[in-house]
Amino acid sequence: MSGTESGSPAGLSETEARARLADDGYNELPRPDRRSPMRIVLEVLREPMLALLLGGGLVYLAIGDLREAIILLTFGAMSIVITVVQETRTERVLEALRDLTSPRALVIRDGARRRIPGREVVHGDLVVLGEGDRIPADARLVDARDLQIDESLLTGESVPVRKQVADKAASVDHRPGGEDQPFVYSGSMVVRGEGLARVGATGPRSEIGKIGLSLRGLQAEPPRLQQQTARLVRLCFLGGAVISLAAVALYGTLRGDWLQALLAGIAIGMSMLPEEFSVVLTVFMAMGAWRISQARVLTRRAAAIEVLGSATVLCTDKTGTLTQNQMSVAELRLLNGASMRPATAGQDHAGPEFVELARCGALASSPEPFDPMEKALHAFARDALRESDALGGPRTLVRTYGLRPELLAMSQVWRTPGGADLVICAKGAPEAIARLCRLSDADQGAVRDAVGAMARDGLRVLGVAAAAGNDTQLPSSQTDFAYRFVGLVGLADPLRPEVPEAVRECRAAGIRVVMITGDYPATAVAIANQAGLDARDVVTGDQLQLADDPELADRVRHANVFARVLPEQKLRIVQAMKRNGEIVAMTGDGVNDAPSLKAAHIGIAMGGRGTDVAREASAIVLLDDDFGSIVAAIRLGRRIYDNLRKAMAFIFAVHVPIAGLALLPLVFGLPLIFSPVHIAFLELIIDPVCALVFEAERDEHDAMTRPPRRADSELFSWPLIGWSVLQGALAFTATAAIFVGALRSGLASDEARALAFVSLVVCILALVLVNRSFSASLVSAFFRPNPALAWIFVAVALVLATALLWPPASSLFRFGPLHVDDLMITLGAGLLVLTVLELLKPLWGQRLRF
């Protein structure tokens, strides 16, 4: 009979362990599916603009024009390379989970202890647990001595939980969290004591494995701007395709040159396809990521910055996000009702009774603590009271009486230096310490009242007692000492100092802040009140369990605090908010936060204390765990959207004269103005470069005082489209008039083409100035601070001069020479367009405000 079946401490045999490993697989999560580079290339080739570039290049190859073919094919190859590099930066969420769930493990096999890789642990293994160990698999305790486990990665609880052995009648439907449970879970940490546990679930069958599987099934929220721009590009492509086919048929029929007809059709299609939207969107997101990185915020998916600017709800974890995830002493209380809060009282106000309470609390803890509460007691005795000898001088630890299920208290016995006297200090649950001290009913009632008041403030309360003795013979139980009650110590995970101000700014911006935590309701309410949240309606995990989807959707509209929440319930909350039409941002740092981080529109991980899993599931990482950085990200997101809207209006306006000038020669039988090279030059170089001016624009004065834009708001409203068409029509009219006038005055077609092209570029620069603001005056269009404006205008002028004056470039573009008076005509056209549009702007301005 195997060790599993007989309950023998010999554990499994090596033979049986290998058989189970072969049957169940390794104790790890399956590797995520990856797209191959070839598959990504095939997806990229579906883009309409890329197809037109490649198609134009192939046509030029067919007619023997190698230079233009190379130019167009190079543009296409660059687009493919950039996209493949971006797309191959895939998520590594499951990889991070694999690292977390595969520590080394000490198991008993064939009666001997063996250290093996965590991935080789199997169902039925006996795992030896010790302080500092990472638990390799879900297991049930068969032996435990003063065992405490940090399960915060799975539950979000701020303090470790006690574990104890239970009989077989214990619940089979068990979950992480809660005191005195007989189950331990993969990925959690032993912070105190030791134990022996039999493995019940490994790999994807463990609790952390279930989180991994849920991550695998979740798709990150696609950026809405990309969806909107892709839809607009598709619509323009369909309209352009119809017009291009008609133009090819018209040109080929009337002029008989079908290859040139095909090139003219490609040029018209490119002129009507606003593919720069994707280029400009990428530039804006990349520059936004760089700007926000200056505030110690890492953007893993740049498009999430813009979405953050439209967030309506910010869901935040408590432990490690709103709080520091570092226990500290928050309050001391004596039996007579006196109290002291270290945050408001220094050493000069601390009486000898409080000094003794601090010292006894530290002496009742391990000399080299691993438990966060014991670390806090030591730190308080050593630093907060600022005593030169907080522990009363060097002592020798004689004996430790550990925590037991029947008495939730522990004692440390210390020998004083140079004598036989012993000092015994105890700490534990207040009711247990009260029993040790044999307090009267009245005193026990006073202790209960004090504990209740401290618990309502969200504090974890410990009782502290002391006794004296000698080392003639130590009793077998700590209950045999004559203790006196020293006092109560309240510990808390303190709020981050920047949180209240950040919450106020979020509320001013119309963003509701919601706390979702695995901690207890009293603690959650206390932290919520400190942070400035409305904590009148608290929803617990048990209530969520009973609520169906419609009821949950109604609860999440009003509740701002959710307590004792399980990981899958966090996910339900986020999904319910999304169904309500909210734009959800979710912050967190633990494994338990990963599914909701990935499901939210914007996942924000705390980078300093956060797990790899949380960081990899998120779109934004706060490198210094500064909650206030979220406000900076929101401000930047709103600025990006405002400026992106200006840039898109500009690009839409520019396409009107480009398309018009591509069609004009076909309709009126004039020489062609644009070939595909001209269109590619304008749309892939000039337009995106000019759009950088908008990226550098300052944020609007009301960026953080107006409410978030509606979830269904479109990037292009009808007033914005009308304004863009008006701008484009005016630029087309001016440029077309110059081109037709040049031809009628006897100018050669190459010179007229050059004059029209330069006029169009000058008009494009005028449109840049017009679109910098929807309300500013003509003077501010020139003098409103923007460091990128002058540099980009100079760069455009240099590129244009190269195209006109450098013979290889002018030959490629088929440009003839221009004179000074010709350039004055182009500048006059740009100034005319700028003046007329600035005069018309006040009539349109109110409808364009966002």
Side-chain angles (χ1 to χ4, degrees):
M1 183 176 292
S2 73
T4 301
E5 293 166 341
S6 65
S8 166
L12 296 177
S13 67
E14 281 296 334
T15 301
E16 187 169 8
R18 284 195 295 270
R20 294 190 180 193
L21 187 63
D23 291 340
D24 298 339
Y26 284 108
N27 179 33
E28 60 186 9
L29 298 182
R31 296 186 181 275
D33 294 332
R34 304 271 183 173
R35 288 188 300 167
S36 66
M38 181 55 65
R39 178 180 168 188
I40 296 173
V41 169
L42 293 176
E43 292 178 359
V44 174
L45 290 175
R46 299 175 187 170
E47 292 295 325
M49 186 66 169
L50 185 60
L52 289 172
L53 283 172
L54 297 179
L58 294 176
V59 172
Y60 275 116
L61 280 177
I63 63 177
D65 193 334
L66 188 59
R67 283 189 309 171
E68 298 210 23
I70 290 175
I71 293 292
L72 293 183
L73 292 176
T74 300
F75 279 135
M78 288 173 57
S79 299
I80 293 176
V81 170
I82 292 172
T83 306
V84 169
V85 169
Q86 290 175 339
E87 293 295 328
T88 49
R89 297 178 58 195
T90 54
E91 293 298 320
R92 294 186 295 112
V93 178
L94 295 178
E95 292 296 327
L97 275 172
R98 291 161 66 90
D99 294 340
L100 185 63
T101 56
S102 188
R104 300 282 293 177
L106 183 62
V107 299
I108 298 177
R109 288 185 181 173
D110 292 322
R113 295 189 175 195
R114 292 190 54 204
R115 183 75 65 177
I116 65 172
R119 67 195 299 264
E120 296 180 7
V121 171
V122 298
H123 173 76
D125 257 329
L126 279 175
V127 180
V128 180
L129 305 177
E131 189 172 291
D133 287 345
R134 180 80 66 180
I135 297 172
D138 290 5
R140 181 190 182 97
L141 291 172
V142 297
D143 185 30
R145 291 175 294 283
D146 192 17
L147 189 63
Q148 294 189 28
I149 308 290
D150 178 1
E151 296 180 346
S152 60
L153 292 182
L154 294 168
T155 66
E157 292 182 359
S158 55
V159 293
V161 292
R162 292 188 305 271
K163 297 292 182 179
Q164 67 177 18
V165 179
D167 58 28
K168 294 184 178 180
S171 171
V172 176
D173 185 20
H174 56 89
R175 301 303 301 270
E179 300 282 0
D180 302 324
Q181 295 294 317
F183 301 101
V184 294
Y185 300 93
S186 176
S188 54
M189 178 79 75
V190 180
V191 298
R192 186 180 182 87
E194 56 186 17
L196 187 66
R198 192 178 304 281
V199 174
T202 60
R205 294 169 292 279
S206 65
E207 290 297 318
I208 200 171
K210 293 173 184 175
I211 293 175
L213 291 178
S214 68
L215 282 173
R216 200 179 187 199
L218 285 173
Q219 295 296 324
E221 189 71 24
R224 293 183 307 123
L225 274 188
Q226 288 186 1
Q227 292 175 313
Q228 291 183 12
T229 54
R231 184 168 62 250
L232 184 62
V233 169
R234 285 195 300 270
L235 291 175
C236 292
F237 173 72
L238 292 176
V242 172
I243 296 175
S244 295
L245 292 174
V248 169
L250 180 64
Y251 191 102
T253 302
L254 296 179
R255 304 193 184 187
D257 190 342
W258 288 97
L259 275 178
Q260 286 297 328
L262 185 57
L263 287 174
I266 290 175
I268 292 172
M270 292 173 64
S271 71
M272 301 191 67
L273 184 65
E275 185 65 19
E276 309 100 304
F277 284 173
S278 300
V279 177
V280 170
L281 187 61
T282 301
V283 169
F284 265 66
M285 297 304 110
M287 291 296 294
W290 174 80
R291 291 184 189 281
I292 201 171
S293 70
Q294 307 305 301
R296 301 283 297 160
V297 178
L298 172 66
T299 306
R300 299 190 64 256
R301 287 188 286 275
I305 299 176
E306 174 277 325
V307 186
L308 186 59
S310 65
T312 59
V313 176
L314 175 58
C315 297
T316 173
D317 188 28
K318 179 184 73 66
T319 304
T321 306
L322 294 179
T323 65
Q324 299 176 21
N325 196 21
Q326 183 176 350
M327 298 298 290
S328 65
V329 174
E331 185 176 2
L332 303 177
R333 287 206 183 199
L334 305 178
L335 192 58
N336 62 10
S339 65
M340 186 194 85
R341 285 187 174 268
T344 57
Q347 178 186 351
D348 297 338
H349 300 87
E353 300 90 347
F354 294 112
V355 173
E356 182 189 20
L357 177 54
R359 181 184 296 117
C360 288
L363 289 174
S365 305
S366 299
E368 297 181 0
F370 196 80
D371 184 295
M373 289 191 294
E374 292 191 341
K375 287 182 178 180
L377 291 171
H378 271 275
F380 179 70
R382 183 177 58 251
D383 301 326
L385 294 179
R386 294 184 175 86
E387 289 195 338
S388 59
D389 184 8
L391 300 182
R395 302 172 185 270
T396 303
L397 181 62
V398 177
R399 181 172 176 178
T400 298
Y401 294 89
L403 206 71
R404 290 291 179 265
E406 64 274 8
L407 182 66
L408 300 177
M410 64 169 292
S411 298
Q412 301 267 76
V413 181
W414 299 85
R415 178 180 288 112
T416 58
D421 293 336
L422 298 177
V423 174
I424 303 96
C425 295
K427 68 173 174 61
E431 62 274 13
I433 295 298
R435 288 203 309 272
L436 279 179
C437 297
R438 300 176 177 84
L439 295 181
S440 65
D441 291 343
D443 286 342
Q444 289 192 40
V447 169
R448 283 194 297 271
D449 292 342
V451 170
M454 297 170 77
R456 283 192 292 275
D457 289 336
L459 303 182
R460 178 95 167 198
V461 185
L462 294 176
V464 178
N470 56 67
D471 60 354
T472 55
Q473 184 176 358
L474 291 175
S476 60
S477 173
Q478 60 184 323
T479 58
D480 295 332
F481 292 108
Y483 288 101
R484 60 185 175 83
F485 193 84
V486 179
L488 299 171
V489 178
L491 298 107
D493 185 6
L495 193 73
R496 293 180 181 274
E498 72 275 3
V499 166
E501 178 60 27
V503 170
R504 280 193 292 272
E505 289 196 59
C506 286
R507 296 177 71 172
I511 301 170
R512 183 163 64 102
V513 181
V514 175
M515 183 171 72
I516 307 174
T517 178
D519 221 329
Y520 291 91
T523 306
V525 169
I527 294 297
N529 288 330
Q530 294 175 35
L533 303 182
D534 182 0
R536 287 174 295 181
D537 186 6
V538 180
V539 180
T540 65
D542 291 339
Q543 293 171 324
L544 292 175
Q545 193 72 28
L546 299 174
D548 57 17
D549 288 345
E551 184 180 354
L552 177 60
D554 183 63
R555 294 300 297 270
V556 300
R557 285 192 178 94
H558 312 290
N560 291 329
V561 178
F562 296 83
R564 300 300 291 165
V565 173
L566 299 172
E568 64 270 20
Q569 292 173 336
K570 287 188 178 186
L571 183 58
R572 281 192 70 200
I573 292 169
V574 169
Q575 291 172 334
M577 288 179 171
K578 289 168 66 176
R579 285 194 295 271
N580 286 344
E582 306 280 9
I583 303 299
V584 183
M586 173 76 190
T587 72
D589 63 349
V591 174
N592 62 313
D593 299 321
S596 49
L597 283 172
K598 190 171 183 181
H601 293 97
I602 318 105
I604 308 170
M606 300 311 226
R609 296 184 181 274
T611 62
D612 288 344
V613 181
R615 287 193 290 268
E616 294 299 329
S618 65
I620 293 173
V621 179
L622 307 184
L623 296 179
D624 53 6
D625 287 0
D626 185 353
F627 189 82
S629 298
I630 297 175
V631 178
I634 291 172
R635 179 185 295 275
L636 182 62
R638 294 190 173 191
R639 166 182 162 175
I640 286 175
Y641 184 81
D642 292 350
N643 291 340
L644 185 61
R645 202 162 180 259
K646 298 171 186 176
M648 295 302 191
F650 159 76
I651 291 173
F652 200 90
V654 167
H655 271 269
V656 174
I658 292 177
L661 293 173
L663 282 169
L664 179 69
L666 298 181
V667 175
F668 294 99
L670 302 174
L672 292 180
I673 302 175
F674 294 145
S675 68
V677 171
H678 296 100
I679 305 294
F681 182 78
L682 286 170
E683 296 191 0
L684 297 182
I685 296 179
I686 296 294
D687 286 1
V689 167
C690 291
L692 289 175
V693 172
F694 303 107
E695 193 284 327
E697 283 294 320
R698 300 177 303 177
D699 51 293
E700 300 291 323
H701 65 87
D702 61 345
M704 291 302 290
T705 56
R706 66 174 185 256
R709 65 181 184 273
R710 297 191 316 273
D712 59 350
S713 63
E714 291 289 336
L715 185 64
F716 287 93
S717 62
W718 285 110
L720 185 63
I721 293 174
W723 176 239
S724 297
V725 170
L726 177 62
Q727 295 178 74
L730 187 58
F732 166 71
T733 301
T735 306
I738 290 173
F739 179 68
V740 173
L743 290 176
R744 290 186 176 178
S745 67
L747 227 61
S749 61
D750 284 356
E751 294 181 24
R753 180 182 297 109
L755 186 61
F757 190 88
V758 174
S759 298
L760 178 59
V761 173
V762 172
C763 288
I764 287 173
L765 296 181
L767 296 184
V768 170
L769 297 175
V770 170
N771 284 282
R772 290 183 63 200
S773 171
F774 290 135
S775 58
S777 65
L778 178 61
V779 174
S780 68
F782 285 100
F783 298 106
R784 186 181 181 187
N786 187 326
L789 183 64
W791 289 104
I792 288 173
F793 273 29
V794 169
V796 170
L798 290 175
V799 170
L800 195 58
T802 301
L804 290 171
L805 303 177
W806 189 40
S810 60
S811 173
L812 175 67
F813 285 99
R814 298 185 179 87
F815 285 163
L818 292 182
H819 306 91
V820 175
D821 55 342
D822 297 327
L823 296 178
M824 296 304 296
I825 292 174
T826 64
L827 293 175
L831 185 60
L832 175 65
V833 169
L834 175 62
T835 304
V836 172
L837 290 175
E838 285 293 335
L839 292 174
L840 293 175
K841 186 184 292 184
L843 303 177
W844 228 284
Q846 284 302 112
R847 286 177 286 179
L848 296 175
R849 294 294 298 164
F850 39 89

